[in-house]
Amino acid sequence: MSTVSASMTNFSTFRLMGFPGLEQYYPWISVPFSLVYALVFLGNCMVLHVIRTEPTLHQPMFYFLAFLSCTDLCIGLSTVHTVLGILWGISEEIHLDACISQSYFIHSLSLTESGVLLAMAFDRFTAICNPLRYNTILTNGRVIQLIVTIVMRSTLVFPPIIRLKLFIYCHPHILSHSFCLHQDLLRLACSDIRFNSYYALALVIFTLLLDSVLILISYIFILHTVLAIASPEERLKSLQTCVSHLCAVLVFYIPIIGLTMVHRFGKHLSPLVHVLMGNIYILFPPLMNPVIYSVKTQQIRSRMKKWFSLKYL
């Protein structure tokens, strides 16, 4: 018994499942995934460049957008090496310490993104419901305070993540995704995981769920204010300033809900479905956010058009 326990305790490498049943197609699958990661990095870097170089975009709304792009870049960087490592045939294994680190970054960055979307909702609420006090409420100092608070809140994932290092893993050391998630490692543990399970549930309720409820409440007030505007043109103009943010909220929360539903109720589904939902959860928001804000935000769209026109004169 002691030999078995020792072997379980010392086992420090896990195998990432990748895309089960599609191993022979990995060279072909790697092409769209490489393209998606390239677009994630290029798109978010372009948004950051435009905001940095255009003085008219040095406003709270665009500071939050820049922070959102930084978060999306970090999410891509935290997963690209394992996903493409599998598809390119480099390695399907990951050390426990690296797995725990990746899990921390994925979950903390998800909390960060949710917090940024809530801050952006507050920005839209202030701009529409209290426009005369917008500049006095959302000062540069207040924006920095909000960003620091969001970053500090994301560290709340640390306690359950660090406890993963202490667990004994006696089940087959095969993770069901192309990267490490907290719930995946819990599934393989034979230790007492109640703290992690309860903490994770409480964290989701008091962060992601609470953020989504507060965003919904902010838009109820926004809609109430907009409907009180007499001019239809002014109503439409006010609502158009919220379209980009609403799209970003949907792009973030729908994959999270989908992945949660698959994990909770989709045990009968093919493992490939779990893998695909996991990759959508990781890659869809970072890919779509630059597209949404480039298409729907007039200032960024015009600046990009001007930049490209000068580039190719």
PDB file of all heavy atoms in Angstrom, residues 13-49:
ATOM      1  N   THR A  13       3.333  14.010 -13.961  1.00  0.00           N
ATOM      2  CA  THR A  13       3.117  14.325 -15.361  1.00  0.00           C
ATOM      3  C   THR A  13       1.718  13.885 -15.790  1.00  0.00           C
ATOM      4  O   THR A  13       1.264  12.808 -15.417  1.00  0.00           O
ATOM      5  CB  THR A  13       4.162  13.632 -16.255  1.00  0.00           C
ATOM      6  OG1 THR A  13       5.467  14.021 -15.832  1.00  0.00           O
ATOM      7  CG2 THR A  13       3.976  14.019 -17.718  1.00  0.00           C
ATOM      8  N   PHE A  14       1.061  14.724 -16.557  1.00  0.00           N
ATOM      9  CA  PHE A  14      -0.265  14.419 -17.066  1.00  0.00           C
ATOM     10  C   PHE A  14      -0.229  14.433 -18.595  1.00  0.00           C
ATOM     11  O   PHE A  14       0.606  15.105 -19.208  1.00  0.00           O
ATOM     12  CB  PHE A  14      -1.284  15.457 -16.579  1.00  0.00           C
ATOM     13  CG  PHE A  14      -1.502  15.424 -15.095  1.00  0.00           C
ATOM     14  CD1 PHE A  14      -0.669  16.124 -14.232  1.00  0.00           C
ATOM     15  CD2 PHE A  14      -2.539  14.687 -14.550  1.00  0.00           C
ATOM     16  CE1 PHE A  14      -0.862  16.096 -12.867  1.00  0.00           C
ATOM     17  CE2 PHE A  14      -2.749  14.652 -13.185  1.00  0.00           C
ATOM     18  CZ  PHE A  14      -1.905  15.352 -12.344  1.00  0.00           C
ATOM     19  N   ARG A  15      -1.159  13.680 -19.181  1.00  0.00           N
ATOM     20  CA  ARG A  15      -1.275  13.679 -20.640  1.00  0.00           C
ATOM     21  C   ARG A  15      -2.533  14.430 -21.041  1.00  0.00           C
ATOM     22  O   ARG A  15      -3.617  14.170 -20.530  1.00  0.00           O
ATOM     23  CB  ARG A  15      -1.327  12.252 -21.191  1.00  0.00           C
ATOM     24  CG  ARG A  15      -1.276  12.209 -22.731  1.00  0.00           C
ATOM     25  CD  ARG A  15      -1.082  10.793 -23.225  1.00  0.00           C
ATOM     26  NE  ARG A  15      -2.304  10.011 -23.092  1.00  0.00           N
ATOM     27  CZ  ARG A  15      -3.293  10.008 -23.996  1.00  0.00           C
ATOM     28  NH1 ARG A  15      -3.214  10.798 -25.059  1.00  0.00           N
ATOM     29  NH2 ARG A  15      -4.351   9.251 -23.821  1.00  0.00           N
ATOM     30  N   LEU A  16      -2.344  15.381 -21.949  1.00  0.00           N
ATOM     31  CA  LEU A  16      -3.469  16.147 -22.466  1.00  0.00           C
ATOM     32  C   LEU A  16      -4.145  15.348 -23.576  1.00  0.00           C
ATOM     33  O   LEU A  16      -3.475  14.810 -24.463  1.00  0.00           O
ATOM     34  CB  LEU A  16      -2.987  17.495 -22.995  1.00  0.00           C
ATOM     35  CG  LEU A  16      -2.360  18.416 -21.930  1.00  0.00           C
ATOM     36  CD1 LEU A  16      -1.547  19.525 -22.593  1.00  0.00           C
ATOM     37  CD2 LEU A  16      -3.431  19.005 -21.041  1.00  0.00           C
ATOM     38  N   MET A  17      -5.458  15.251 -23.507  1.00  0.00           N
ATOM     39  CA  MET A  17      -6.182  14.404 -24.442  1.00  0.00           C
ATOM     40  C   MET A  17      -6.092  14.910 -25.876  1.00  0.00           C
ATOM     41  O   MET A  17      -6.058  14.134 -26.828  1.00  0.00           O
ATOM     42  CB  MET A  17      -7.659  14.305 -24.031  1.00  0.00           C
ATOM     43  CG  MET A  17      -8.480  13.394 -24.933  1.00  0.00           C
ATOM     44  SD  MET A  17     -10.192  13.249 -24.389  1.00  0.00           S
ATOM     45  CE  MET A  17      -9.984  12.278 -22.884  1.00  0.00           C
ATOM     46  N   GLY A  18      -6.062  16.208 -26.064  1.00  0.00           N
ATOM     47  CA  GLY A  18      -6.043  16.743 -27.423  1.00  0.00           C
ATOM     48  C   GLY A  18      -7.417  16.643 -28.058  1.00  0.00           C
ATOM     49  O   GLY A  18      -8.420  17.025 -27.467  1.00  0.00           O
ATOM     50  N   PHE A  19      -7.470  16.090 -29.253  1.00  0.00           N
ATOM     51  CA  PHE A  19      -8.722  15.954 -29.990  1.00  0.00           C
ATOM     52  C   PHE A  19      -8.947  14.468 -30.282  1.00  0.00           C
ATOM     53  O   PHE A  19      -8.491  13.956 -31.317  1.00  0.00           O
ATOM     54  CB  PHE A  19      -8.669  16.765 -31.288  1.00  0.00           C
ATOM     55  CG  PHE A  19      -8.456  18.238 -31.057  1.00  0.00           C
ATOM     56  CD1 PHE A  19      -7.176  18.742 -30.854  1.00  0.00           C
ATOM     57  CD2 PHE A  19      -9.526  19.110 -31.012  1.00  0.00           C
ATOM     58  CE1 PHE A  19      -6.976  20.091 -30.623  1.00  0.00           C
ATOM     59  CE2 PHE A  19      -9.341  20.464 -30.782  1.00  0.00           C
ATOM     60  CZ  PHE A  19      -8.054  20.947 -30.586  1.00  0.00           C
ATOM     61  N   PRO A  20      -9.617  13.765 -29.378  1.00  0.00           N
ATOM     62  CA  PRO A  20      -9.740  12.309 -29.501  1.00  0.00           C
ATOM     63  C   PRO A  20     -10.440  11.885 -30.790  1.00  0.00           C
ATOM     64  O   PRO A  20     -11.473  12.431 -31.174  1.00  0.00           O
ATOM     65  CB  PRO A  20     -10.579  11.917 -28.276  1.00  0.00           C
ATOM     66  CG  PRO A  20     -11.275  13.168 -27.862  1.00  0.00           C
ATOM     67  CD  PRO A  20     -10.351  14.285 -28.218  1.00  0.00           C
ATOM     68  N   GLY A  21      -9.831  10.891 -31.458  1.00  0.00           N
ATOM     69  CA  GLY A  21     -10.396  10.365 -32.692  1.00  0.00           C
ATOM     70  C   GLY A  21      -9.953  11.100 -33.933  1.00  0.00           C
ATOM     71  O   GLY A  21     -10.224  10.642 -35.059  1.00  0.00           O
ATOM     72  N   LEU A  22      -9.271  12.223 -33.755  1.00  0.00           N
ATOM     73  CA  LEU A  22      -8.851  13.024 -34.917  1.00  0.00           C
ATOM     74  C   LEU A  22      -7.332  13.112 -35.027  1.00  0.00           C
ATOM     75  O   LEU A  22      -6.812  13.991 -35.710  1.00  0.00           O
ATOM     76  CB  LEU A  22      -9.438  14.440 -34.815  1.00  0.00           C
ATOM     77  CG  LEU A  22     -10.967  14.555 -34.783  1.00  0.00           C
ATOM     78  CD1 LEU A  22     -11.378  16.015 -34.625  1.00  0.00           C
ATOM     79  CD2 LEU A  22     -11.592  13.960 -36.042  1.00  0.00           C
ATOM     80  N   GLU A  23      -6.637  12.183 -34.384  1.00  0.00           N
ATOM     81  CA  GLU A  23      -5.177  12.270 -34.332  1.00  0.00           C
ATOM     82  C   GLU A  23      -4.544  12.316 -35.722  1.00  0.00           C
ATOM     83  O   GLU A  23      -3.557  13.029 -35.940  1.00  0.00           O
ATOM     84  CB  GLU A  23      -4.609  11.083 -33.544  1.00  0.00           C
ATOM     85  CG  GLU A  23      -4.842  11.146 -32.049  1.00  0.00           C
ATOM     86  CD  GLU A  23      -6.255  10.724 -31.635  1.00  0.00           C
ATOM     87  OE1 GLU A  23      -7.007  10.266 -32.536  1.00  0.00           O
ATOM     88  OE2 GLU A  23      -6.595  10.847 -30.446  1.00  0.00           O
ATOM     89  N   GLN A  24      -5.108  11.564 -36.671  1.00  0.00           N
ATOM     90  CA  GLN A  24      -4.521  11.528 -38.011  1.00  0.00           C
ATOM     91  C   GLN A  24      -4.710  12.836 -38.775  1.00  0.00           C
ATOM     92  O   GLN A  24      -4.054  13.081 -39.787  1.00  0.00           O
ATOM     93  CB  GLN A  24      -5.099  10.357 -38.821  1.00  0.00           C
ATOM     94  CG  GLN A  24      -6.588  10.484 -39.156  1.00  0.00           C
ATOM     95  CD  GLN A  24      -7.460   9.866 -38.080  1.00  0.00           C
ATOM     96  OE1 GLN A  24      -7.111   9.884 -36.896  1.00  0.00           O
ATOM     97  NE2 GLN A  24      -8.580   9.294 -38.496  1.00  0.00           N
ATOM     98  N   TYR A  25      -5.614  13.683 -38.262  1.00  0.00           N
ATOM     99  CA  TYR A  25      -5.883  14.955 -38.936  1.00  0.00           C
ATOM    100  C   TYR A  25      -5.193  16.129 -38.247  1.00  0.00           C
ATOM    101  O   TYR A  25      -5.445  17.282 -38.622  1.00  0.00           O
ATOM    102  CB  TYR A  25      -7.396  15.216 -38.982  1.00  0.00           C
ATOM    103  CG  TYR A  25      -8.179  14.135 -39.681  1.00  0.00           C
ATOM    104  CD1 TYR A  25      -9.033  13.306 -38.965  1.00  0.00           C
ATOM    105  CD2 TYR A  25      -8.062  13.943 -41.053  1.00  0.00           C
ATOM    106  CE1 TYR A  25      -9.762  12.301 -39.594  1.00  0.00           C
ATOM    107  CE2 TYR A  25      -8.787  12.948 -41.699  1.00  0.00           C
ATOM    108  CZ  TYR A  25      -9.631  12.127 -40.957  1.00  0.00           C
ATOM    109  OH  TYR A  25     -10.345  11.140 -41.593  1.00  0.00           O
ATOM    110  N   TYR A  26      -4.345  15.871 -37.270  1.00  0.00           N
ATOM    111  CA  TYR A  26      -3.704  16.953 -36.527  1.00  0.00           C
ATOM    112  C   TYR A  26      -2.970  17.957 -37.429  1.00  0.00           C
ATOM    113  O   TYR A  26      -3.074  19.175 -37.194  1.00  0.00           O
ATOM    114  CB  TYR A  26      -2.744  16.388 -35.487  1.00  0.00           C
ATOM    115  CG  TYR A  26      -3.407  15.973 -34.189  1.00  0.00           C
ATOM    116  CD1 TYR A  26      -4.797  16.036 -34.034  1.00  0.00           C
ATOM    117  CD2 TYR A  26      -2.656  15.512 -33.103  1.00  0.00           C
ATOM    118  CE1 TYR A  26      -5.401  15.653 -32.850  1.00  0.00           C
ATOM    119  CE2 TYR A  26      -3.264  15.133 -31.900  1.00  0.00           C
ATOM    120  CZ  TYR A  26      -4.627  15.198 -31.792  1.00  0.00           C
ATOM    121  OH  TYR A  26      -5.235  14.829 -30.613  1.00  0.00           O
ATOM    122  N   PRO A  27      -2.220  17.502 -38.451  1.00  0.00           N
ATOM    123  CA  PRO A  27      -1.552  18.503 -39.311  1.00  0.00           C
ATOM    124  C   PRO A  27      -2.533  19.468 -39.970  1.00  0.00           C
ATOM    125  O   PRO A  27      -2.228  20.654 -40.136  1.00  0.00           O
ATOM    126  CB  PRO A  27      -0.827  17.635 -40.352  1.00  0.00           C
ATOM    127  CG  PRO A  27      -0.613  16.329 -39.658  1.00  0.00           C
ATOM    128  CD  PRO A  27      -1.823  16.128 -38.807  1.00  0.00           C
ATOM    129  N   TRP A  28      -3.714  18.973 -40.325  1.00  0.00           N
ATOM    130  CA  TRP A  28      -4.715  19.830 -40.956  1.00  0.00           C
ATOM    131  C   TRP A  28      -5.421  20.703 -39.923  1.00  0.00           C
ATOM    132  O   TRP A  28      -5.684  21.882 -40.161  1.00  0.00           O
ATOM    133  CB  TRP A  28      -5.749  18.979 -41.704  1.00  0.00           C
ATOM    134  CG  TRP A  28      -5.162  18.174 -42.820  1.00  0.00           C
ATOM    135  CD1 TRP A  28      -4.891  16.837 -42.828  1.00  0.00           C
ATOM    136  CD2 TRP A  28      -4.735  18.666 -44.095  1.00  0.00           C
ATOM    137  NE1 TRP A  28      -4.329  16.451 -44.020  1.00  0.00           N
ATOM    138  CE2 TRP A  28      -4.223  17.565 -44.814  1.00  0.00           C
ATOM    139  CE3 TRP A  28      -4.739  19.924 -44.695  1.00  0.00           C
ATOM    140  CZ2 TRP A  28      -3.735  17.688 -46.105  1.00  0.00           C
ATOM    141  CZ3 TRP A  28      -4.241  20.053 -45.979  1.00  0.00           C
ATOM    142  CH2 TRP A  28      -3.741  18.944 -46.673  1.00  0.00           C
ATOM    143  N   ILE A  29      -5.713  20.131 -38.767  1.00  0.00           N
ATOM    144  CA  ILE A  29      -6.387  20.896 -37.719  1.00  0.00           C
ATOM    145  C   ILE A  29      -5.491  22.008 -37.207  1.00  0.00           C
ATOM    146  O   ILE A  29      -5.968  23.075 -36.800  1.00  0.00           O
ATOM    147  CB  ILE A  29      -6.810  19.962 -36.561  1.00  0.00           C
ATOM    148  CG1 ILE A  29      -7.817  18.916 -37.044  1.00  0.00           C
ATOM    149  CG2 ILE A  29      -7.416  20.754 -35.405  1.00  0.00           C
ATOM    150  CD1 ILE A  29      -8.166  17.864 -36.002  1.00  0.00           C
ATOM    151  N   SER A  30      -4.172  21.781 -37.235  1.00  0.00           N
ATOM    152  CA  SER A  30      -3.251  22.793 -36.718  1.00  0.00           C
ATOM    153  C   SER A  30      -3.296  24.081 -37.540  1.00  0.00           C
ATOM    154  O   SER A  30      -2.988  25.162 -37.019  1.00  0.00           O
ATOM    155  CB  SER A  30      -1.817  22.248 -36.708  1.00  0.00           C
ATOM    156  OG  SER A  30      -1.331  22.069 -38.026  1.00  0.00           O
ATOM    157  N   VAL A  31      -3.709  23.980 -38.810  1.00  0.00           N
ATOM    158  CA  VAL A  31      -3.739  25.172 -39.682  1.00  0.00           C
ATOM    159  C   VAL A  31      -4.771  26.190 -39.187  1.00  0.00           C
ATOM    160  O   VAL A  31      -4.427  27.354 -38.934  1.00  0.00           O
ATOM    161  CB  VAL A  31      -3.990  24.782 -41.152  1.00  0.00           C
ATOM    162  CG1 VAL A  31      -4.143  26.029 -42.018  1.00  0.00           C
ATOM    163  CG2 VAL A  31      -2.849  23.909 -41.678  1.00  0.00           C
ATOM    164  N   PRO A  32      -6.059  25.804 -39.028  1.00  0.00           N
ATOM    165  CA  PRO A  32      -7.017  26.813 -38.511  1.00  0.00           C
ATOM    166  C   PRO A  32      -6.707  27.267 -37.096  1.00  0.00           C
ATOM    167  O   PRO A  32      -6.922  28.443 -36.767  1.00  0.00           O
ATOM    168  CB  PRO A  32      -8.371  26.089 -38.590  1.00  0.00           C
ATOM    169  CG  PRO A  32      -8.049  24.642 -38.665  1.00  0.00           C
ATOM    170  CD  PRO A  32      -6.747  24.552 -39.372  1.00  0.00           C
ATOM    171  N   PHE A  33      -6.188  26.361 -36.248  1.00  0.00           N
ATOM    172  CA  PHE A  33      -5.870  26.777 -34.885  1.00  0.00           C
ATOM    173  C   PHE A  33      -4.697  27.759 -34.880  1.00  0.00           C
ATOM    174  O   PHE A  33      -4.724  28.737 -34.115  1.00  0.00           O
ATOM    175  CB  PHE A  33      -5.550  25.558 -34.019  1.00  0.00           C
ATOM    176  CG  PHE A  33      -6.742  25.005 -33.295  1.00  0.00           C
ATOM    177  CD1 PHE A  33      -7.564  24.068 -33.906  1.00  0.00           C
ATOM    178  CD2 PHE A  33      -7.068  25.435 -32.021  1.00  0.00           C
ATOM    179  CE1 PHE A  33      -8.681  23.566 -33.262  1.00  0.00           C
ATOM    180  CE2 PHE A  33      -8.184  24.937 -31.364  1.00  0.00           C
ATOM    181  CZ  PHE A  33      -8.995  24.001 -31.989  1.00  0.00           C
ATOM    182  N   SER A  34      -3.697  27.527 -35.708  1.00  0.00           N
ATOM    183  CA  SER A  34      -2.582  28.473 -35.799  1.00  0.00           C
ATOM    184  C   SER A  34      -3.071  29.822 -36.312  1.00  0.00           C
ATOM    185  O   SER A  34      -2.644  30.882 -35.824  1.00  0.00           O
ATOM    186  CB  SER A  34      -1.500  27.926 -36.736  1.00  0.00           C
ATOM    187  OG  SER A  34      -0.987  26.698 -36.264  1.00  0.00           O
ATOM    188  N   LEU A  35      -3.987  29.773 -37.281  1.00  0.00           N
ATOM    189  CA  LEU A  35      -4.541  31.012 -37.827  1.00  0.00           C
ATOM    190  C   LEU A  35      -5.334  31.769 -36.766  1.00  0.00           C
ATOM    191  O   LEU A  35      -5.217  32.994 -36.649  1.00  0.00           O
ATOM    192  CB  LEU A  35      -5.432  30.695 -39.025  1.00  0.00           C
ATOM    193  CG  LEU A  35      -6.102  31.892 -39.712  1.00  0.00           C
ATOM    194  CD1 LEU A  35      -5.050  32.856 -40.258  1.00  0.00           C
ATOM    195  CD2 LEU A  35      -7.025  31.420 -40.840  1.00  0.00           C
ATOM    196  N   VAL A  36      -6.129  31.040 -35.976  1.00  0.00           N
ATOM    197  CA  VAL A  36      -6.926  31.677 -34.931  1.00  0.00           C
ATOM    198  C   VAL A  36      -6.017  32.350 -33.903  1.00  0.00           C
ATOM    199  O   VAL A  36      -6.238  33.510 -33.519  1.00  0.00           O
ATOM    200  CB  VAL A  36      -7.853  30.658 -34.247  1.00  0.00           C
ATOM    201  CG1 VAL A  36      -8.435  31.238 -32.953  1.00  0.00           C
ATOM    202  CG2 VAL A  36      -8.986  30.244 -35.184  1.00  0.00           C
ATOM    203  N   TYR A  37      -4.975  31.637 -33.455  1.00  0.00           N
ATOM    204  CA  TYR A  37      -4.062  32.233 -32.477  1.00  0.00           C
ATOM    205  C   TYR A  37      -3.356  33.450 -33.072  1.00  0.00           C
ATOM    206  O   TYR A  37      -3.177  34.467 -32.384  1.00  0.00           O
ATOM    207  CB  TYR A  37      -3.043  31.200 -32.013  1.00  0.00           C
ATOM    208  CG  TYR A  37      -3.515  30.370 -30.845  1.00  0.00           C
ATOM    209  CD1 TYR A  37      -3.879  29.041 -31.012  1.00  0.00           C
ATOM    210  CD2 TYR A  37      -3.594  30.906 -29.568  1.00  0.00           C
ATOM    211  CE1 TYR A  37      -4.325  28.272 -29.938  1.00  0.00           C
ATOM    212  CE2 TYR A  37      -4.028  30.155 -28.482  1.00  0.00           C
ATOM    213  CZ  TYR A  37      -4.397  28.835 -28.682  1.00  0.00           C
ATOM    214  OH  TYR A  37      -4.837  28.090 -27.611  1.00  0.00           O
ATOM    215  N   ALA A  38      -2.970  33.365 -34.357  1.00  0.00           N
ATOM    216  CA  ALA A  38      -2.322  34.513 -35.003  1.00  0.00           C
ATOM    217  C   ALA A  38      -3.271  35.704 -35.056  1.00  0.00           C
ATOM    218  O   ALA A  38      -2.865  36.846 -34.796  1.00  0.00           O
ATOM    219  CB  ALA A  38      -1.867  34.128 -36.409  1.00  0.00           C
ATOM    220  N   LEU A  39      -4.540  35.450 -35.360  1.00  0.00           N
ATOM    221  CA  LEU A  39      -5.524  36.533 -35.414  1.00  0.00           C
ATOM    222  C   LEU A  39      -5.794  37.112 -34.026  1.00  0.00           C
ATOM    223  O   LEU A  39      -6.022  38.320 -33.881  1.00  0.00           O
ATOM    224  CB  LEU A  39      -6.830  36.024 -36.037  1.00  0.00           C
ATOM    225  CG  LEU A  39      -6.773  35.700 -37.533  1.00  0.00           C
ATOM    226  CD1 LEU A  39      -8.085  35.071 -37.991  1.00  0.00           C
ATOM    227  CD2 LEU A  39      -6.467  36.959 -38.349  1.00  0.00           C
ATOM    228  N   VAL A  40      -5.793  36.248 -32.993  1.00  0.00           N
ATOM    229  CA  VAL A  40      -5.968  36.730 -31.620  1.00  0.00           C
ATOM    230  C   VAL A  40      -4.859  37.718 -31.265  1.00  0.00           C
ATOM    231  O   VAL A  40      -5.117  38.819 -30.758  1.00  0.00           O
ATOM    232  CB  VAL A  40      -5.980  35.553 -30.627  1.00  0.00           C
ATOM    233  CG1 VAL A  40      -5.807  36.053 -29.188  1.00  0.00           C
ATOM    234  CG2 VAL A  40      -7.275  34.764 -30.740  1.00  0.00           C
ATOM    235  N   PHE A  41      -3.617  37.339 -31.558  1.00  0.00           N
ATOM    236  CA  PHE A  41      -2.490  38.206 -31.218  1.00  0.00           C
ATOM    237  C   PHE A  41      -2.488  39.469 -32.081  1.00  0.00           C
ATOM    238  O   PHE A  41      -2.323  40.575 -31.573  1.00  0.00           O
ATOM    239  CB  PHE A  41      -1.162  37.451 -31.387  1.00  0.00           C
ATOM    240  CG  PHE A  41      -1.037  36.268 -30.469  1.00  0.00           C
ATOM    241  CD1 PHE A  41      -0.541  35.062 -30.925  1.00  0.00           C
ATOM    242  CD2 PHE A  41      -1.425  36.352 -29.143  1.00  0.00           C
ATOM    243  CE1 PHE A  41      -0.433  33.965 -30.091  1.00  0.00           C
ATOM    244  CE2 PHE A  41      -1.321  35.257 -28.291  1.00  0.00           C
ATOM    245  CZ  PHE A  41      -0.816  34.071 -28.772  1.00  0.00           C
ATOM    246  N   LEU A  42      -2.704  39.309 -33.390  1.00  0.00           N
ATOM    247  CA  LEU A  42      -2.682  40.459 -34.293  1.00  0.00           C
ATOM    248  C   LEU A  42      -3.822  41.423 -33.992  1.00  0.00           C
ATOM    249  O   LEU A  42      -3.617  42.637 -33.897  1.00  0.00           O
ATOM    250  CB  LEU A  42      -2.770  39.969 -35.745  1.00  0.00           C
ATOM    251  CG  LEU A  42      -2.794  41.057 -36.825  1.00  0.00           C
ATOM    252  CD1 LEU A  42      -1.488  41.854 -36.791  1.00  0.00           C
ATOM    253  CD2 LEU A  42      -3.008  40.446 -38.214  1.00  0.00           C
ATOM    254  N   GLY A  43      -5.037  40.892 -33.835  1.00  0.00           N
ATOM    255  CA  GLY A  43      -6.196  41.741 -33.608  1.00  0.00           C
ATOM    256  C   GLY A  43      -6.094  42.544 -32.331  1.00  0.00           C
ATOM    257  O   GLY A  43      -6.341  43.759 -32.314  1.00  0.00           O
ATOM    258  N   ASN A  44      -5.718  41.890 -31.238  1.00  0.00           N
ATOM    259  CA  ASN A  44      -5.629  42.596 -29.959  1.00  0.00           C
ATOM    260  C   ASN A  44      -4.450  43.561 -29.927  1.00  0.00           C
ATOM    261  O   ASN A  44      -4.548  44.638 -29.317  1.00  0.00           O
ATOM    262  CB  ASN A  44      -5.545  41.589 -28.817  1.00  0.00           C
ATOM    263  CG  ASN A  44      -6.881  40.921 -28.534  1.00  0.00           C
ATOM    264  OD1 ASN A  44      -7.777  41.524 -27.951  1.00  0.00           O
ATOM    265  ND2 ASN A  44      -7.025  39.677 -28.950  1.00  0.00           N
ATOM    266  N   CYS A  45      -3.359  43.211 -30.586  1.00  0.00           N
ATOM    267  CA  CYS A  45      -2.224  44.144 -30.652  1.00  0.00           C
ATOM    268  C   CYS A  45      -2.582  45.383 -31.470  1.00  0.00           C
ATOM    269  O   CYS A  45      -2.166  46.503 -31.133  1.00  0.00           O
ATOM    270  CB  CYS A  45      -1.006  43.445 -31.264  1.00  0.00           C
ATOM    271  SG  CYS A  45      -0.176  42.289 -30.148  1.00  0.00           S
ATOM    272  N   MET A  46      -3.375  45.191 -32.530  1.00  0.00           N
ATOM    273  CA  MET A  46      -3.801  46.332 -33.340  1.00  0.00           C
ATOM    274  C   MET A  46      -4.708  47.260 -32.530  1.00  0.00           C
ATOM    275  O   MET A  46      -4.584  48.485 -32.613  1.00  0.00           O
ATOM    276  CB  MET A  46      -4.520  45.846 -34.597  1.00  0.00           C
ATOM    277  CG  MET A  46      -3.603  45.274 -35.655  1.00  0.00           C
ATOM    278  SD  MET A  46      -4.483  44.765 -37.137  1.00  0.00           S
ATOM    279  CE  MET A  46      -5.148  46.324 -37.690  1.00  0.00           C
ATOM    280  N   VAL A  47      -5.636  46.678 -31.755  1.00  0.00           N
ATOM    281  CA  VAL A  47      -6.503  47.499 -30.906  1.00  0.00           C
ATOM    282  C   VAL A  47      -5.660  48.293 -29.914  1.00  0.00           C
ATOM    283  O   VAL A  47      -5.872  49.505 -29.719  1.00  0.00           O
ATOM    284  CB  VAL A  47      -7.542  46.622 -30.173  1.00  0.00           C
ATOM    285  CG1 VAL A  47      -8.269  47.433 -29.103  1.00  0.00           C
ATOM    286  CG2 VAL A  47      -8.548  46.036 -31.158  1.00  0.00           C
ATOM    287  N   LEU A  48      -4.693  47.652 -29.277  1.00  0.00           N
ATOM    288  CA  LEU A  48      -3.828  48.338 -28.318  1.00  0.00           C
ATOM    289  C   LEU A  48      -3.021  49.446 -29.000  1.00  0.00           C
ATOM    290  O   LEU A  48      -2.862  50.545 -28.443  1.00  0.00           O
ATOM    291  CB  LEU A  48      -2.881  47.330 -27.662  1.00  0.00           C
ATOM    292  CG  LEU A  48      -3.517  46.383 -26.643  1.00  0.00           C
ATOM    293  CD1 LEU A  48      -2.518  45.289 -26.247  1.00  0.00           C
ATOM    294  CD2 LEU A  48      -3.970  47.142 -25.403  1.00  0.00           C
ATOM    295  N   HIS A  49      -2.535  49.170 -30.202  1.00  0.00           N
ATOM    296  CA  HIS A  49      -1.739  50.157 -30.930  1.00  0.00           C
ATOM    297  C   HIS A  49      -2.586  51.378 -31.292  1.00  0.00           C
ATOM    298  O   HIS A  49      -2.141  52.528 -31.128  1.00  0.00           O
ATOM    299  CB  HIS A  49      -1.154  49.529 -32.198  1.00  0.00           C
ATOM    300  CG  HIS A  49      -0.409  50.502 -33.067  1.00  0.00           C
ATOM    301  ND1 HIS A  49       0.816  51.013 -32.717  1.00  0.00           N
ATOM    302  CD2 HIS A  49      -0.744  51.084 -34.266  1.00  0.00           C
ATOM    303  CE1 HIS A  49       1.230  51.855 -33.653  1.00  0.00           C
ATOM    304  NE2 HIS A  49       0.297  51.917 -34.601  1.00  0.00           N
TER     305      HIS A  49
END
